[in-house]
Amino acid sequence: MTRIVARPLTRENFAPFGDVIDMGGDNHYPINAGKAERYHDLATAEAAGPNARVLISMVRGTPYEMPLKLTMVERHPFGSQAFIPLSPRPFLVVVCHDGKDGPGEPHAFITAPGQGINYRRNLWHGVLTPIGEAQDFLIVDRGGDGSNLEECHFSHPYEIHLP
């Protein structure tokens, strides 16, 4: 089993896979007579295909046993998928570039408390993986006609370790 250690999530190291959603960066400004600060345009939601639309949902994720035994990844050919935590807890993010015959070797990241992510359309990624306890998330992804899910099961699992 190949061992992979998760590294801290940053905008720079996650850029090839999608967007980091947090209150960092320079694109923010006051709204509501200065009583709120808007952190603007943090990610691009993609929705393609027949009758495509952007959906907003919520999910409660249950933690997996660590180290994580990664046996499969999935991707969404018609849309991006964002996970925004509703509590200040970290979670594990696993992504793969396209390989010759499916997903390449996984890359693992651990979010800082409060960070969310947006997977680009058609990006191989692991399932939602809270750490330590159940966690609620806001999801922004694609609805519409056609199958927007493709799964790939690894012939040899990977073992993902927290730092």
Side-chain angles (χ1 to χ4, degrees), residues 7 13-18 73-75 94-109 120 122-125 152 154 158:
R7 55 191 169 134
N13 66 16
F14 195 69
F17 308 105
V73 290
E74 63 184 35
R75 67 180 175 182
V94 177
V95 292
C96 305
H97 290 292
D98 269 331
K100 185 176 179 181
D101 296 314
E105 184 165 312
H107 300 263
F109 303 94
R120 288 203 175 100
N122 217 31
L123 175 78
W124 292 107
H125 63 85
C152 181
F154 295 116
Y158 291 88

Side-chain angles (χ1 to χ4, degrees), residues 4-19:
I4 296 171
V5 178
R7 55 191 169 134
L9 180 75
T10 66
R11 280 184 170 73
E12 295 76 27
N13 66 16
F14 195 69
F17 308 105
D19 307 299

Side-chain angles (χ1 to χ4, degrees), residues 48-101:
N51 297 311
R53 64 192 186 284
V54 174
L55 301 176
I56 298 175
S57 306
M58 295 176 79
V59 66
R60 178 162 293 143
T62 303
Y64 286 76
E65 187 177 316
M66 293 294 164
L68 176 68
K69 192 174 287 186
L70 184 70
T71 60
M72 64 82 70
V73 290
E74 63 184 35
R75 67 180 175 182
H76 308 284
F78 292 130
S80 58
Q81 190 174 47
F83 292 94
I84 303 148
L86 297 176
S87 63
R89 296 194 39 79
F91 63 101
L92 182 66
V93 176
V94 177
V95 292
C96 305
H97 290 292
D98 269 331
K100 185 176 179 181
D101 296 314

Side-chain angles (χ1 to χ4, degrees), residues 100-144:
K100 185 176 179 181
D101 296 314
E105 184 165 312
H107 300 263
F109 303 94
I110 185 167
T111 65
Q115 278 183 322
I117 52 91
N118 183 50
Y119 297 125
R120 288 203 175 100
R121 174 181 167 188
N122 217 31
L123 175 78
W124 292 107
H125 63 85
V127 297
L128 181 62
T129 311
I131 298 170
E133 63 186 62
Q135 190 173 3
D136 296 339
F137 292 83
L138 186 71
I139 300 174
V140 180
D141 63 356
R142 183 249 187 214

